[in-house]
Amino acid sequence: DWKEILESGAHKIVQALGADAASIRLFDPESERMVAFGSHRFAEEERTPSISLRESIAGRVARSGRSWIVPSILDEPLYRDKSIVERLGMNSLVAVPIHIPRFLAYEPEIRGALQIYYRERYRRFDPLEITHAEVLARRISHVVARKRIIDLSELNLQKEKLVEKIFLKLSDRQGIKMRDLFRAMVPELQGIIDIRACALYAVTPD
């Protein structure tokens, strides 16, 4: 869902700025690299899956939270894989930060970069144009953040319904066996967590 939102936003930014293409990279805390996460007018299978955080334009934008202008991609040493942009005729770009705050203590905040490409070489970027791109990128981040809030709200609602069902079963005067409660609850948990297998061990048959 996030990828679709980001790609849709990238498409709209390309149209709004009169650009030619866009690509998105997000920071992966596990690998500590910038991973490809959607694009507009770039084939995903052709893009380098992950690039360095420190030695890349996207990585430096994600770390600093500041935009980066590249008048000539072919002359930019931090843009390592130039084969795709050469083939597509992309010659300049502006990279703007993406920042999505975390809503749970155990979740990391999401940082990344949206790179907006132009065919024009040695392009002169107007400050207002860069500000416009930054504002549009923040709007995309806001939409993704709102989607996360809605998802968390739905998850909390599912948890509340599950707890209510457990209390109803436990309050049954006839009583309920643990294995019956287990069998009833596991399917309900599928909507909350990704269960691949589950087993109940008990000291007595009941």
Side-chain angles (χ1 to χ4, degrees), residues 15 24-25 35 39 72 95 106 128 132 194:
Q15 290 182 321
I24 300 157
R25 287 192 181 274
V35 298
S39 61
S72 175
Y106 60 83
L128 288 177
H132 190 190
D194 183 18

Side-chain angles (χ1 to χ4, degrees), residues 44-57:
E44 279 294 285
E45 60 274 11
E46 292 183 343
R47 298 179 65 201
T48 305
S50 69
I51 59 176
S52 168
L53 172 66
R54 298 181 181 278
E55 300 302 322
S56 68
I57 295 167

Side-chain angles (χ1 to χ4, degrees), residues 46-158:
E46 292 183 343
R47 298 179 65 201
T48 305
S50 69
I51 59 176
S52 168
L53 172 66
R54 298 181 181 278
E55 300 302 322
S56 68
I57 295 167
R60 295 199 176 187
V61 169
R63 287 176 64 200
S64 67
R66 297 178 180 177
S67 297
W68 189 292
I69 298 170
V70 181
S72 175
I73 297 174
L74 297 181
D75 298 331
E76 175 56 63
L78 285 176
Y79 201 102
R80 302 295 178 87
D81 186 3
K82 297 179 172 63
S83 58
I84 301 175
V85 292
E86 281 187 295
R87 183 173 58 79
L88 295 176
M90 303 299 171
N91 291 300
S92 58
L93 70 85
V94 57
V96 295
I98 293 173
H99 177 228
I100 303 164
R102 64 182 178 183
F103 297 97
L104 297 173
Y106 60 83
E107 281 189 344
E109 61 182 1
I110 298 172
R111 290 189 177 273
L114 170 65
Q115 297 184 159
I116 306 162
Y117 296 82
Y118 297 84
R119 297 186 187 279
E120 182 184 350
R121 194 172 186 184
Y122 299 116
R123 193 176 194 279
R124 297 185 65 181
F125 290 90
D126 186 274
L128 288 177
E129 184 180 29
I130 298 167
T131 301
H132 190 190
E134 292 171 343
V135 170
L136 293 174
R138 282 196 291 270
R139 287 183 182 175
I140 296 175
S141 299
H142 174 75
V143 172
V144 175
R146 188 169 179 272
K147 178 68 170 58
R148 292 184 76 187
I149 292 171
I150 292 171
D151 289 344
L152 288 172
S153 177
E154 291 176 351
L155 181 61
N156 287 332
L157 184 60
Q158 285 180 299

Side-chain angles (χ1 to χ4, degrees), residues 174-194:
Q174 296 180 351
I176 184 170
K177 293 181 178 180
M178 184 61 69
R179 64 186 178 189
D180 294 332
L181 180 63
F182 176 77
R183 289 170 180 167
M185 291 301 104
V186 170
E188 299 289 339
L189 289 170
Q190 285 286 5
I192 300 174
I193 57 176
D194 183 18

